[in-house]
Amino acid sequence: MLDRFNVTPILRGHWKGLTNGQYLVYRPDFTARAIFLTPLALFGYLLWSGASLKSPAALLTGAALLAGGMLSAFTHLSTLRLKITEWDEGGSAGRFQMERDMLDETAAHLLTGSLACVLDAASLVIGMNASLDKQGHLTGFWAALSAAISSYVLLIFVVILPRLYSAYVEINGVAKNLSGFTRGKARD
C-alpha cells in the first residue's frame, strides 16, 4: 500500500550506476562511491565544528531550481531513450547498448538528484523555522544536514554532465574535430 512512496529503486539505480564501464562485466567504481560518501564526512565535521549557513534562503532557492532542472532534463532523457529504442528495433541487436546504458544511468542520477533537492529544501525550511540564530544564520543539525545534502547534489550534478555530453556525442555522431572526447585536431 505504501509502495508508491518507495524511493529505494531510484537510490539503488543511482548506486548501481556508479560502476566502472571499462570492463565487459560491470564492476563497482569504488572511487566514485567513496567520493559520494564524502557528504557524510562533511555532515559530521559541520556538526562537530558548530558551523552555520549565513544565507540559507539562497541555498533553498538553488535547491528548488536544481530540482526543477533535473526533472526537466529527465523528461528529455526519457524521450531520447524511447527514440533509441525505436531506432534499434529494426537494426542489429545491441547497436545502441552503450548509449542506452549511459542514458539509463543518468536517469537514475537525475531522479536521485531531484529527490535530494526536495530533501534539501525540506531540511532548509525546517531548519529556518527551528534553528536560526539571532543573526539569521542556520545553525546546528539542520545546517550540517542541508550542507551535506547540497554537496551530494553538487556531486550528482558533476557526474551527470559528462554522461549527458557523452550520450549526446555518441547518439548524434558528433564529428571528431568537434567532439570533446578527442584530443587535438582530428585527421580524417
Side-chain angles (χ1 to χ4, degrees):
M1 187 158 16
L2 292 175
D3 285 346
R4 68 182 70 234
F5 296 103
N6 184 8
V7 296
T8 305
I10 297 169
L11 300 174
R12 190 179 303 124
H14 164 62
W15 196 250
K16 283 182 174 182
L18 299 173
T19 58
N20 191 336
Q22 297 176 347
Y23 304 99
L24 294 176
V25 178
Y26 287 103
R27 296 181 184 177
D29 186 346
F30 293 111
T31 304
R33 290 180 179 190
I35 291 170
F36 268 97
L37 292 176
T38 58
L40 286 174
L42 177 65
F43 172 77
Y45 173 74
L46 293 177
L47 197 57
W48 172 76
S49 69
S52 65
L53 298 176
K54 291 183 180 180
S55 54
L59 197 55
L60 177 60
T61 303
L65 288 171
L66 271 175
M70 286 184 178
L71 286 175
S72 176
F74 174 76
T75 60
H76 291 292
L77 199 69
S78 179
T79 303
L80 183 57
R81 177 65 165 87
L82 181 62
K83 194 60 142 167
I84 288 175
T85 302
E86 290 172 1
W87 289 342
D88 210 18
E89 280 181 12
S92 61
R95 179 175 164 215
F96 293 104
Q97 188 60 47
M98 183 174 70
E99 290 81 3
R100 277 197 298 264
D101 288 349
M102 282 190 286
L103 294 176
D104 293 341
E105 174 188 332
T106 304
H109 294 324
L110 282 168
L111 291 176
T112 301
S114 296
L115 177 63
C117 286
V118 169
L119 295 174
D120 196 13
S123 71
L124 285 162
V125 168
I126 293 169
M128 289 167 63
N129 285 289
S131 67
L132 287 180
D133 64 10
K134 292 179 182 180
Q135 292 84 24
H137 301 167
L138 185 60
T139 61
F141 172 81
W142 295 107
L145 181 63
S146 297
I149 295 172
S150 295
S151 67
Y152 198 85
V153 170
L154 176 66
L155 289 173
I156 289 174
F157 201 74
V158 170
V159 166
I160 287 171
L161 291 178
R163 298 302 273 174
L164 287 173
Y165 182 64
S166 179
Y168 173 84
V169 167
E170 293 295 323
I171 291 166
N172 294 300
V174 172
K176 289 183 180 182
N177 62 332
L178 296 175
S179 170
F181 291 102
T182 53
R183 294 178 184 237
K185 188 174 180 180
R187 294 184 181 146
D188 291 73

